[in-house]
Amino acid sequence: MQTTVCTNQPVLKIGSTGSAVVELQKLLTQRVPVVDELEVDGIFGAVTELSVKVFQFCVFLEDDGIVGSLTWLALQLGQRPDLPVLHQGSQGIDVIRVQNILKFNTFTKEYMGFDGYDFGSIDGIFGAKTEEAVKAFQYDRGLLVDGVIASKTWKELMKLASIISHIAL
């Protein structure tokens, strides 16, 4: 079976209306079930924006609430299409996003029963401490423990992000 992916969609944000918003809302109801209040009404309001932000957070996109071509594509595919392989020495926004998911925080302590993964500060640098945190995460999830964030580790990180997304935003 072949899936057709169309990204020739308009940029949508608060105040947008019409059939493209209806399509967006239908995709969001499939991809972001944690936002119960989302209605398929063709009006891009606050709940639609929150749903977009939750989805973007979960797939490691910039969570700005604006639906551009990359968010459309991610919604259609169910994940961000351009996730890089991250390893020790990697730097940038994707490392920051991973560090944000793995960090120690009150939510993980109180609701998930563990303190998170210690990697030092959120600095966008995939150093030795971040590698150790990734290895601990991989071990906890039953993955190959190599400290490299490739497709299977990304998938598990997205699951963790979906658990904490509505709290983190």
Side-chain angles (χ1 to χ4, degrees):
M1 183 172 114
Q2 199 172 26
T3 303
T4 303
V5 177
C6 176
T7 58
N8 190 20
Q9 294 286 3
V11 173
L12 300 176
K13 58 186 176 185
I14 286 278
S16 297
T17 59
S19 61
V21 176
V22 169
E23 183 178 346
L24 168 66
Q25 290 168 329
K26 287 179 181 178
L27 285 167
L28 288 169
T29 59
Q30 295 170 6
R31 304 284 186 212
V32 189
V34 296
V35 183
D36 296 332
E37 302 83 28
L38 180 63
E39 292 182 38
V40 179
D41 61 5
I43 301 167
F44 196 126
V47 175
T48 301
E49 181 184 48
L50 175 63
S51 297
V52 169
K53 286 181 177 182
V54 166
F55 176 76
Q56 290 170 327
F57 179 84
C58 291
V59 297
F60 295 88
L61 287 169
E62 180 181 358
D63 53 342
D64 60 5
I66 298 170
V67 183
S69 59
L70 194 53
T71 299
W72 274 114
L73 186 56
L75 278 162
Q76 292 168 348
L77 297 173
Q79 70 176 39
R80 188 175 133 195
D82 65 339
L83 287 168
V85 173
L86 298 177
H87 49 80
Q88 191 167 355
S90 297
Q91 295 184 26
I93 190 67
D94 287 316
V95 176
I96 289 171
R97 290 176 180 144
V98 167
Q99 289 172 333
N100 269 318
I101 296 298
L102 295 177
K103 71 183 175 186
F104 285 84
N105 62 41
T106 304
F107 177 76
T108 56
K109 175 104 175 140
E110 292 179 10
Y111 298 99
M112 297 179 69
F114 71 104
D115 289 330
Y117 301 91
D118 185 16
F119 54 80
S121 63
I122 297 173
D123 58 7
I125 299 169
F126 198 126
K129 282 190 171 194
T130 299
E131 182 181 58
E132 286 306 311
V134 170
K135 285 180 176 180
F137 175 77
Q138 290 170 326
Y139 177 81
D140 288 348
R141 297 297 174 128
L143 300 171
L144 172 66
V145 179
D146 61 2
V148 175
I149 301 174
S151 63
K152 289 181 181 178
T153 302
W154 276 118
K155 187 171 275 195
E156 290 299 315
L157 285 166
M158 284 186 260
K159 288 178 185 177
L160 179 57
S162 69
I163 293 168
I164 66 172
S165 62
H166 59 289
I167 304 298
L169 292 173

